[in-house]
Amino acid sequence: MVNTLFFRFALVVTLFIFTQEASSQTIKWANTVIEYSSEFVLPLRAKTATTTLKFSPITSEFESLAMKFDTAFSIKQVMVAELMPQGSIAQVWAIDALAKEHLLFEISEDASLIPGKDKLFNVILPKMTEYKVQAIRLVLRKSALKTSKQIEAIGISNSAQVVNQYVKVASDAPKKVIRENLGKTINSKNPEFAPVISSDGKTLYYTRNYISLFGKEKDQDIWYSTKNSDGTWSKAQNLGIPLNTDDNNAVFAVSSDGREVLLMNKYQKDGKLAPGISRSKRTPNGWSFPEEVKIDNFYNYSPNAEFAVSADGRVMVMSVQRMTTKGKRDLYVSFKKNNEEWTEPRHMGNTLNSSEHDVTPFIAADGKTLYFSTRGFSGFGDNDIFKSTRLDETWLNWSEPQNLGEGINTPNWDGFFTIPASGEYAYMCTYEGSSQKEDIFRLLLPEDKQPEPVWVLMGEILSTSDQKAVECEVEWYTNKNYKKKNSTHFNPSLGLFKIILPLHQQYEIVPVKKGYLTITDYVDLTNENEFKEIKKNFYLLPLEVGNKGILNSLTFSQGKADLPEAALRDLDRIAQAMKEIPTLEILFEGHTDNLGDFQLNLQLSEDRVKNAKKYLISQGIQADRIQTKGWGQTRPIASNATEERRKLNRRVEFTIIKK
């Protein structure tokens, strides 16, 4: 029996000299309650086994709690996280795989409270246990139990290295943030929750519950507020029909351009709602009637769910309960198909998911950082906000979730973390003070605590002939994956198109519309490191006789006539247009810079356009529909003083000569 020491630090120092450090430290935290004497001692974060035994302790002076681990192994250390005031632990018992109990620690009767907020109670053993520990049982002194849910967590380790941090706090978690209740223009006497901020940070959607005079929930509607020019928020307005009905309504996600929302439930033509999700698009006349979002083999055993969509609109993360769920609700991922349907949800793994409800997912604009709320990992109260980083393109491998710290999380329920593309502010839902109702808060995030920066690219698609806006699709690709097509629809009546581009890549921007030839353009972010909002217009060339354009992809290396890979994609689009219009004929004109011999440059320009013609012929276009002409260095469009300017002269132009 160990009864000579009262304070955890003395206990560690005295017994540490008898230990030998394990080669690597394994730490496990119990997640299942198997015995308890009263609800008073149940941990804040734990599930209970179906065979849990609620028993009476030996005397009325003590309570008892036993918790089981997923993995059994020999140990050198036990860690217990207590709430304040600390000092309730009278005994610590290990339970082996044969259900035999072994006393590891017992405190003397005259022991005082153990000081130290947020400190762990550590029991360091003289040697590794010869048995494998399956569970730990605590005997707690009732006289020291001042707080319900006194125990926060129980852990074990195979090392004598003192574990002094229970909460896995993100290394970039801010120590202190400016937390602002958004006030009466948004929050009311009723609960407000599920905030979703638009990518530009100018529109906030959220849900408000109406409570009747008798305390009964009457309705759950979508509300929204827009940011004024001085940074304040306008008085919130009800979003109205058709998105709000007599039933419960909520927005889950907003597209990057703000023109599409993902909605809770499936809207039916008779005005009723059914389980599922829907989407609505902004039109010049308001929001469209919501259409069902179809997900292969979608089902959810829970009455609740939340969904998040990546900035490129191709990935959906959802919090649902399915046959493969580890605990309660877990996080799943689904991918958009070529049409408007989605793949069957896949479980995102046990690194990300806990034995508790893992809820309110949000994918940052960088497409790598995931925020969600859970009480299944160590934290600072009820549900806390955690972050994890995607490790590969499968969306199934994630870094260990890390708590965002006390600067963001409170002792109350925290969830619905949402951040605009700028990363400057975060919005979240939590309880404030003694009101016991949810409100929406805004947090000013330090620059070094924000997600990875992105660029927001916005603009119009204009006709080369009259500079008027053209309604069309806008596709974009990265230089790392040309097979992955992203797209958005540009409607001039709704304003500029808007897309979010993660940094350190080059992008190919491709406007597409039948009857027009694409003028591909490029945005190079390989050396960019800061958030920016950029306005840039892109162009389409009408397939009309006399129209002339420059193929930006056909910019050649010095002295070379080989077709760049990007040029092949543009030539494929020209070939497609010529197949759709069998009478279409074009002229390719080649140009060079002024470096080198005049005659060699003339020949080089001819070789370049002849190679373009050969490629079109290989794609099934008749040779007599393609004319070529080389001009050498005689028709520059830019100065030849620098390499950057000379690149503009090493070009190929095309002209529609017959239709």
Side-chain angles (χ1 to χ4, degrees), residues 226-339:
T226 55
K227 186 180 287 187
N228 299 316
S229 58
D230 62 359
T232 60
W233 289 93
S234 64
K235 185 174 178 58
Q237 301 180 55
N238 189 296
L239 198 57
I241 57 173
L243 304 194
N244 282 325
T245 69
D246 292 336
D247 221 321
N248 291 333
N249 311 109
V251 167
F252 283 136
V254 182
S255 63
S256 296
D257 58 9
R259 297 180 185 176
E260 185 172 319
V261 291
L262 191 69
L263 300 159
M264 179 176 72
N265 293 320
K266 182 169 61 176
Y267 287 64
Q268 301 181 134
K269 295 299 182 180
D270 61 3
K272 296 181 179 180
L273 301 180
I277 55 175
S278 304
R279 65 187 180 100
S280 174
K281 294 184 177 182
R282 188 192 297 274
T283 73
N285 300 317
W287 291 101
S288 66
F289 186 85
E291 300 177 353
E292 178 186 3
V293 175
K294 295 182 179 180
I295 304 173
D296 291 348
N297 192 30
F298 178 77
Y299 62 90
N300 178 22
Y301 293 140
S302 171
N304 301 309
E306 295 93 26
F307 298 77
V309 177
S310 60
D312 61 12
R314 296 177 59 89
V315 182
M316 184 188 302
V317 172
M318 62 192 74
S319 169
V320 292
Q321 187 171 6
R322 295 168 64 85
M323 290 182 65
T324 53
T325 297
K326 175 184 176 182
K328 297 178 182 177
R329 274 198 284 153
D330 276 356
L331 300 178
Y332 288 76
V333 65
S334 176
F335 302 96
K336 193 173 186 179
K337 300 180 182 181
N338 292 332
N339 51 23

Side-chain angles (χ1 to χ4, degrees), residues 407-436:
I408 289 176
N409 289 308
T410 72
N412 302 312
W413 190 96
D414 303 305
F416 294 106
F417 200 73
T418 178
I419 309 176
S422 66
E424 181 181 9
Y425 286 99
Y427 298 80
M428 64 181 291
C429 173
T430 191
Y431 289 83
E432 183 178 42
S434 60
S435 65
Q436 291 304 300

Side-chain angles (χ1 to χ4, degrees), residues 142-385:
K142 275 190 175 181
S143 60
L145 296 175
K146 304 297 184 183
T147 307
S148 67
K149 307 287 187 182
Q150 178 74 28
I151 299 300
E152 175 77 1
I154 302 173
I156 53 177
S157 171
N158 64 345
S159 169
Q161 180 180 339
V162 178
V163 178
N164 54 24
Q165 184 182 28
Y166 163 56
V167 181
K168 182 72 173 180
V169 178
S171 59
D172 60 350
K175 301 298 182 184
K176 184 180 292 186
V177 299
I178 300 175
R179 180 187 298 272
E180 172 192 1
N181 186 305
L182 288 184
K184 295 181 178 179
T185 59
I186 289 178
N187 294 312
S188 70
K189 64 180 180 180
N190 299 300
E192 281 82 22
F193 57 96
V196 179
I197 190 70
S198 60
S199 65
D200 61 8
K202 295 180 180 179
T203 306
L204 181 69
Y205 299 89
Y206 63 95
T207 298
R208 176 180 290 170
N209 266 16
Y210 285 104
I211 308 296
S212 72
L213 295 176
F214 303 101
K216 182 179 179 181
E217 293 186 6
K218 294 175 58 180
D219 200 3
Q220 181 176 302
D221 274 357
I222 303 165
W223 291 68
Y224 75 99
S225 174
T226 55
K227 186 180 287 187
N228 299 316
S229 58
D230 62 359
T232 60
W233 289 93
S234 64
K235 185 174 178 58
Q237 301 180 55
N238 189 296
L239 198 57
I241 57 173
L243 304 194
N244 282 325
T245 69
D246 292 336
D247 221 321
N248 291 333
N249 311 109
V251 167
F252 283 136
V254 182
S255 63
S256 296
D257 58 9
R259 297 180 185 176
E260 185 172 319
V261 291
L262 191 69
L263 300 159
M264 179 176 72
N265 293 320
K266 182 169 61 176
Y267 287 64
Q268 301 181 134
K269 295 299 182 180
D270 61 3
K272 296 181 179 180
L273 301 180
I277 55 175
S278 304
R279 65 187 180 100
S280 174
K281 294 184 177 182
R282 188 192 297 274
T283 73
N285 300 317
W287 291 101
S288 66
F289 186 85
E291 300 177 353
E292 178 186 3
V293 175
K294 295 182 179 180
I295 304 173
D296 291 348
N297 192 30
F298 178 77
Y299 62 90
N300 178 22
Y301 293 140
S302 171
N304 301 309
E306 295 93 26
F307 298 77
V309 177
S310 60
D312 61 12
R314 296 177 59 89
V315 182
M316 184 188 302
V317 172
M318 62 192 74
S319 169
V320 292
Q321 187 171 6
R322 295 168 64 85
M323 290 182 65
T324 53
T325 297
K326 175 184 176 182
K328 297 178 182 177
R329 274 198 284 153
D330 276 356
L331 300 178
Y332 288 76
V333 65
S334 176
F335 302 96
K336 193 173 186 179
K337 300 180 182 181
N338 292 332
N339 51 23
E340 291 298 328
E341 297 183 357
W342 294 76
T343 63
E344 180 176 355
R346 295 187 64 184
H347 192 267
M348 296 177 73
N350 293 341
T351 298
L352 204 60
N353 289 302
S354 74
S355 60
E356 280 288 340
H357 288 295
D358 305 306
V359 298
T360 69
F362 174 77
I363 307 169
D366 61 13
K368 297 178 180 179
T369 309
L370 177 70
Y371 299 91
F372 65 100
S373 173
T374 187
R375 60 180 295 177
F377 302 114
S378 54
F380 297 96
D382 202 333
N383 271 50
D384 278 356
I385 308 295

Side-chain angles (χ1 to χ4, degrees), residues 94-114:
I95 304 175
D96 64 24
L98 299 176
K100 183 179 178 180
E101 297 196 9
H102 308 265
L103 182 64
L104 303 181
F105 172 81
E106 185 173 21
I107 203 163
S108 64
E109 295 180 359
D110 59 345
S112 58
L113 293 180
I114 298 177

